[in-house]
Amino acid sequence: MLELCFDQSTQGGLKMAQHCGGVSTVGLVYGAVEGATDSLSPPEKQEAALERARREAAERRRKAVPLGGNPRDVLALPLALSMGDIREPMGETRRMLLEHWYEEIMERDWRRTLEAAERLKNCGPDETVRIWADGLPDSACGLLHAASLLAGTRAQISVVLLPPWKVRLDGIVEIYQGWGEVSPEEFGAFLPLEQPLTPIVLRMLSDRWHHLQEENAPLRAVVNGRVRSVDADFYDDCLRRALPMGRKKVARLIGEILGREQPGVGDTLLANRLRVLLERGEFRMVQEDPQFYRSVVERVR
């Protein structure tokens, strides 16, 4: 079985999920809470948090349902198709756009992406493809694009759509934005949500992708559960709401948007839009730093 996703983080998680369980390490990022009044000292709080993380990790390993398979069969198409020109999703224009947005894209990674696309297009009737998709714009666009690659095949295709939340047995609600936030031990728990993509559904998704290609808008966003073409300024109001007045460091401004509004896009797009608003005079640079994220900006109007 081929496992398909749309970002490298999820790809790594799926590879680990194939043979998860057993021994694993636990990492912990600990921060003291200002104004805390309980009696534990900071080292005691850190140890308590680490112990809690160990217990939770052990519980995940105990409940893990390995996916099985070969890591070489875990494919990714990390093309960021919610942004930019999509007339040639696997072409040189897309590679150059990725380099522009992310400063560097490894030639090896790009080659693997092209190889993954070819492998999908050449699937035979005896092959199965399971797609892991979520509601993030890149993943939603990726699903449509993948459907266009697979529509001409006779492979058996299914999809696992990530639900917006999951209620644990202890009553805690876990909220997810994308598969990249799911631990490897938990992927198997979502297999009951797997559903087939019949040829008629696959064709519908493929037709939707071709329609988006014809529109070729600057951006694509998920609006009311559907991928739609939108203007380049679609996320500008997020920046305005995050800084109605006063001044902030760019890193804090963008971090607050990602944490509070969870727009489903990365910091790169928001940083680029902030640069546009700076050029237009809607924001002003108060303290410029060679590292843009360290700069301080303020709202002008």
Side-chain angles (χ1 to χ4, degrees):
M1 172 180 285
L2 299 181
E3 309 279 4
L4 175 63
C5 61
F6 306 105
D7 65 90
Q8 292 177 329
S9 176
T10 302
Q11 184 183 29
L14 284 170
K15 288 181 178 181
M16 296 177 65
Q18 289 182 321
H19 307 285
C20 61
V23 179
S24 67
T25 58
V26 176
L28 177 66
V29 177
Y30 173 79
V33 178
E34 185 178 355
T37 59
D38 56 73
S39 59
L40 293 179
S41 65
E44 289 173 328
K45 292 177 185 177
Q46 184 172 354
E47 181 57 36
L50 184 57
E51 179 58 31
R52 184 168 60 252
R54 289 195 187 103
R55 291 196 304 269
E56 291 176 353
E59 183 67 9
R60 286 197 301 269
R61 293 195 300 272
R62 187 181 68 82
K63 295 180 178 179
V65 179
L67 299 178
N70 191 314
R72 289 178 295 182
D73 294 332
V74 180
L75 309 180
L77 296 177
L79 294 166
L81 293 174
S82 69
M83 301 184 288
D85 191 321
I86 57 171
R87 287 173 295 184
E88 296 182 11
M90 310 298 301
E92 183 65 13
T93 299
R94 172 57 42 173
R95 187 187 69 81
M96 293 176 62
L97 284 172
L98 291 173
E99 282 191 349
H100 172 70
W101 286 323
Y102 300 112
E103 296 184 358
E104 181 180 2
I105 176 172
M106 300 293 292
E107 184 62 33
R108 179 187 61 185
D109 293 337
W110 179 247
R111 185 176 66 252
R112 288 176 176 172
T113 300
L114 296 180
E115 291 171 352
E118 284 300 313
R119 194 170 177 185
L120 292 171
K121 288 190 291 186
N122 294 321
C123 279
D126 58 338
E127 294 188 86
T128 57
V129 181
R130 180 163 55 203
I131 304 173
W132 299 81
D134 53 53
L136 295 178
D138 282 344
S139 180
C141 290
L143 174 61
L144 300 179
H145 173 233
S148 73
L149 297 177
L150 291 162
T153 73
R154 295 170 59 192
Q156 302 299 310
I157 304 163
S158 62
V159 63
V160 184
L161 296 174
L162 180 68
W165 66 78
K166 182 180 74 172
V167 181
R168 300 189 335 195
L169 293 177
D170 58 7
I172 294 178
V173 178
E174 293 183 335
I175 298 176
Y176 306 103
Q177 277 205 85
W179 283 113
E181 298 178 349
V182 176
S183 69
E185 295 86 357
E186 293 177 304
F187 276 91
F190 292 94
L191 288 179
L193 301 179
E194 183 177 2
Q195 54 185 307
L197 288 181
T198 62
I200 189 170
V201 172
L202 206 63
R203 177 57 61 186
M204 177 194 68
L205 297 176
S206 177
D207 289 346
R208 177 60 183 157
W209 174 248
H210 294 315
H211 180 70
L212 291 171
Q213 285 183 297
E214 292 174 0
E215 293 177 336
N216 200 34
L219 297 174
R220 282 147 294 281
V222 177
V223 181
N224 296 327
R226 181 178 172 84
V227 180
R228 298 185 182 277
S229 298
V230 296
D231 293 331
D233 61 358
F234 183 77
Y235 297 102
D236 288 6
D237 278 344
C238 293
L239 292 161
R240 298 184 183 104
R241 285 192 296 270
L243 188 58
M245 60 183 66
R247 55 186 61 176
K248 284 181 184 177
K249 186 173 287 189
V250 171
R252 181 183 172 189
L253 174 65
I254 293 177
E256 289 179 355
I257 294 172
L258 295 176
R260 182 177 61 249
E261 300 211 19
Q262 298 185 344
V265 297
D267 61 290
T268 302
L269 174 59
L270 295 175
N272 286 342
R273 291 308 306 171
L274 179 57
R275 290 186 177 97
V276 171
L277 295 179
L278 284 165
E279 292 175 359
R280 292 178 179 173
E282 193 168 334
F283 284 72
R284 178 166 52 214
M285 184 70 71
V286 177
Q287 182 178 334
E288 188 169 8
D289 191 279
Q291 295 290 332
F292 181 66
Y293 285 76
R294 297 177 183 174
S295 300
V296 178
V297 298
E298 68 179 358
R299 180 81 177 275
V300 177
R301 64 176 190 275

